[in-house]
Amino acid sequence: MSKSVAGPEIEKLIQLLARVPGLGPRSARRAALHLIKKKEQVLTPLAEAMAVARDSVTVCTTCGNVDTRDPCTICTDPRRDNAVIIVVEDVADLWALERASAMNCLYHVLGGTLSPLDGIGPDDLNIKSLVERVSAGGVKEIIIAVNATVEGQTTAHYITDQLDGLDISITRLAHGVPVGGELDYLDEGTLTAALRSRTTL
Amino acid sequence: MSKSVAGPEIEKLIQLLARVPGLGPRSARRAALHLIKKKEQVLTPLAEAMAVARDSVTVCTTCGNVDTRDPCTICTDPRRDNAVIIVVEDVADLWALERASAMNCLYHVLGGTLSPLDGIGPDDLNIKSLVERVSAGGVKEIIIAVNATVEGQTTAHYITDQLDGLDISITRLAHGVPVGGELDYLDEGTLTAALRSRTTL
């Protein structure tokens, strides 16, 4: 820890800011100074927004999204297609897919992936609640949008097994060349997948 | 602005986090999610530290440092050498010099540098208060530790002029090769200065 230069209150603010992802010890100091200098414009509204988030943000018991209400804004949106559920690992993935605005459906946040080495089994993820949601009826398609990692694919297979026997279609995201991506920088696995799934022009 | 996915309270938190230096729109979203997920461990203490900083942090009327008391911890520290004042542009420079722990003296924060193009004149900086501090007596040395930029050097000359006639020595930081620096990457100005100020081994 560096020498304290500005009283324990500011040092504490710096230490806590350093725990925010994207900020390290050095940038936390810079951020703290900026916040203090822009007390009215930045520090005060940010402190208030954090207090509001602390008091009001909750996890949706239906889908696992974070929101200020439960069920969340997405689950209660009447304009969404209730027949399709996209299964994601994390809320960040849900947000990313929402930003893409490609689908107007529901989500289910697993809260991670199966990882026996880290001691994460099926009971640690929101898999049971997914099976219950689907079993309750009305769902026609489950899009498994987990990351293209070993753990993600293992989890996808496990979920497929659990949903076996239910009258729904289970799909996954397509593999291929990212839009704007250069072939030269892509790995062989992606190129192979892109070639296999080639489409007619 | 991206599509709102998680209620106005969270969107507001993301927007405000994006104004913290070191965080952009993308990392602000990641930071907000992390804060919400670690509500007890990170969000709550950070919100409290910000509220404390908002309510208690002030600017030292003597030196311009930010602290929770006025005069600040440094100005009231009885173990410091009151005869030496280091003049810096910004509180961040004060913190940097304090971390170096090379001197145990007082500071004077200018709050910027003279910059006619940006409309910053002598009255916009804490120069008058510096002259008053020195005129009050007891000060033997002023170390001008402004940045080695054109504006910084202009400011240094202006301050030297203002302090003219007072019985004090005015010094500046040495120019030279940064410790651990490689000559190959240094500019000609630095190398010339380092050669001119060479010392006997």
Side-chain angles (χ1 to χ4, degrees):
Chain A
M1 193 52 219
S2 72
K3 193 179 166 189
S4 172
V5 293
E9 293 86 354
I10 298 176
E11 279 300 321
K12 188 162 187 206
L13 178 61
I14 296 172
Q15 279 175 38
L16 288 165
L17 279 171
R19 288 160 66 182
V20 174
L23 294 177
R26 212 182 182 89
S27 48
R29 209 176 289 120
R30 210 157 53 87
L33 198 55
H34 180 83
L35 289 175
I36 291 166
K37 279 186 187 167
K38 304 259 176 187
K39 209 197 249 189
E40 302 307 322
Q41 306 98 303
V42 185
L43 178 59
T44 303
L46 185 55
E48 274 159 22
M50 283 192 179
V52 168
R54 177 193 61 199
D55 296 338
S56 65
V57 169
T58 184
V59 173
C60 176
T61 45
T62 306
C63 75
N65 186 17
V66 291
D67 201 345
T68 44
R69 44 168 135 166
D70 177 23
C72 73
T73 314
I74 292 176
C75 283
T76 53
D77 186 347
R79 290 160 302 179
R80 283 178 187 261
D81 182 2
N82 292 327
V84 181
I85 296 177
I86 304 184
V87 178
V88 292
E89 288 179 24
D90 194 275
V91 177
D93 303 328
L94 186 162
W95 289 6
L97 288 166
E98 275 295 292
R99 285 198 301 279
S101 300
M103 299 283 289
N104 199 25
C105 60
L106 302 183
Y107 292 90
H108 196 87
V109 181
L110 293 174
T113 45
L114 292 175
S115 178
L117 285 175
D118 301 317
I120 301 173
D123 294 338
D124 301 308
L125 305 177
N126 300 324
I127 295 179
K128 194 181 273 186
S129 58
L130 174 66
V131 177
E132 284 165 8
R133 262 179 101 179
V134 178
S135 304
V139 178
K140 286 181 187 151
E141 181 178 1
I142 295 286
I143 304 172
I144 301 184
V146 294
N147 291 333
T149 55
V150 174
E151 289 84 6
Q153 297 314 303
T154 309
T155 311
H157 281 120
Y158 182 84
I159 292 171
T160 311
D161 283 350
Q162 296 296 304
L163 296 174
D164 193 33
L166 294 165
D167 184 26
I168 50 163
S169 66
I170 303 175
T171 55
R172 66 157 177 79
L173 296 183
H175 287 308
V177 180
V179 176
E182 294 180 44
L183 297 196
D184 195 18
Y185 291 96
L186 284 172
D187 61 294
E188 291 77 12
T190 304
L191 287 175
T192 308
L195 277 172
R196 280 198 193 137
S197 309
R198 65 192 177 278
T199 53
T200 315
L201 270 178
Chain B
M1 193 51 220
S2 71
K3 192 180 165 189
S4 172
V5 293
E9 293 87 353
I10 299 176
E11 279 301 319
K12 187 161 188 207
L13 178 62
I14 295 171
Q15 278 175 38
L16 287 165
L17 279 171
R19 287 160 67 181
V20 174
L23 294 178
R26 212 184 181 88
S27 48
R29 210 176 288 120
R30 209 157 53 89
L33 198 54
H34 180 82
L35 289 175
I36 291 165
K37 279 186 188 167
K38 304 258 177 188
K39 208 196 247 189
E40 302 308 322
Q41 305 99 301
V42 186
L43 178 59
T44 303
L46 185 55
E48 274 158 23
M50 284 193 177
V52 168
R54 177 193 61 199
D55 296 337
S56 64
V57 169
T58 184
V59 173
C60 176
T61 45
T62 306
C63 75
N65 186 16
V66 291
D67 200 346
T68 45
R69 41 168 136 168
D70 177 23
C72 73
T73 315
I74 291 176
C75 283
T76 52
D77 186 347
R79 290 160 303 179
R80 283 178 187 262
D81 182 1
N82 291 328
V84 181
I85 295 176
I86 305 183
V87 177
V88 293
E89 287 179 24
D90 194 275
V91 177
D93 304 327
L94 186 162
W95 289 7
L97 288 166
E98 274 295 292
R99 285 198 300 280
S101 300
M103 299 283 290
N104 198 25
C105 60
L106 302 183
Y107 292 89
H108 196 87
V109 181
L110 294 174
T113 45
L114 292 175
S115 179
L117 284 176
D118 301 317
I120 301 174
D123 294 338
D124 300 310
L125 305 177
N126 300 323
I127 294 179
K128 194 181 271 185
S129 59
L130 174 66
V131 178
E132 285 165 7
R133 262 179 100 179
V134 177
S135 305
V139 179
K140 287 182 186 150
E141 181 178 1
I142 295 286
I143 305 172
I144 301 184
V146 294
N147 291 333
T149 55
V150 174
E151 289 84 7
Q153 297 314 302
T154 310
T155 311
H157 281 120
Y158 182 83
I159 291 172
T160 310
D161 284 349
Q162 296 297 305
L163 297 174
D164 193 33
L166 294 165
D167 183 25
I168 50 161
S169 65
I170 303 175
T171 55
R172 66 157 176 79
L173 295 183
H175 286 309
V177 180
V179 175
E182 293 180 44
L183 297 196
D184 195 18
Y185 290 96
L186 284 172
D187 61 294
E188 291 76 13
T190 303
L191 287 174
T192 308
L195 276 172
R196 279 197 193 135
S197 310
R198 66 193 175 279
T199 53
T200 314
L201 270 177

